Amino acid sequence: MSDSNRPQRRHEAQGFTCIHCKLQVPGQAWGTKHRNHCPACLHSRHVDDTPGDRASPCKGLMIPIAIEVRSDADHASGEWAIIHRCESCAAIKANRIAGDDSERALLALALRPIARPAFPLDDFRPT
Ligand SMILES: [Zn+2]
Ligand SMILES: [Zn+2]
């Protein structure tokens, strides 16, 4: 009759608190079954060995470092994924974006190399 005997099961739909910006992130998001990063700052946590398994003991902060555009032969427009690097163990992971990820944050990440070129753009000449 009471809820007290219900097992405390943690699963994907339960949500989490972002360890970077402290946002309360709900578990459900359009476009993803395994929400694993914060929709506001795009940071994640190293909890998976393979997406969704929650098997990694690391639990380090995963920093978004780049956008991957996945090419799909059947679709003209590529799907975006965020490349995360773990601050603790340096693992690199790719995670699909979710429907409510901040478009500003995604664009800022995608444009980072353009905004900070490692070489002078003025010198560009077609060869
Ligand atoms: Zn966050
Ligand atoms: Zn890690």
Side-chain angles (χ1 to χ4, degrees):
M1 282 297 178
S2 84
D3 282 343
S4 57
N5 289 331
R6 191 186 289 168
Q8 297 289 313
R9 219 159 62 88
R10 291 194 68 82
H11 53 86
E12 289 79 19
Q14 203 156 342
F16 58 92
T17 302
C18 175
I19 56 174
H20 182 69
C21 75
K22 309 289 187 272
L23 183 79
Q24 290 283 339
V25 181
Q28 298 286 356
W30 178 84
T32 184
K33 265 185 268 184
H34 301 295
R35 160 112 77 183
N36 49 27
H37 58 266
C38 171
C41 72
L42 308 180
H43 284 64
S44 185
R45 194 174 193 191
H46 193 183
V47 293
D48 295 343
D49 283 332
T50 57
D53 68 359
R54 299 294 187 266
S56 174
C58 177
K59 309 289 187 282
L61 175 67
M62 304 223 42
I63 299 166
I65 57 170
I67 296 288
E68 174 193 11
V69 182
R70 296 182 166 178
S71 50
D72 185 331
D74 298 329
H75 298 94
S77 62
E79 179 180 83
W80 277 24
I82 302 168
I83 308 298
H84 285 107
R85 184 177 56 216
C86 179
E87 196 180 46
S88 299
C89 73
I92 304 273
K93 303 270 181 193
N95 293 294
R96 287 178 57 189
I97 62 169
D100 58 353
D101 282 352
S102 162
E103 288 161 1
R104 252 187 93 150
L106 288 168
L107 271 182
L109 185 59
L111 293 174
R112 196 181 283 169
I114 311 298
R116 294 183 172 191
F119 44 83
L121 295 178
D122 293 348
D123 286 357
F124 176 76
R125 288 183 201 91
T127 51

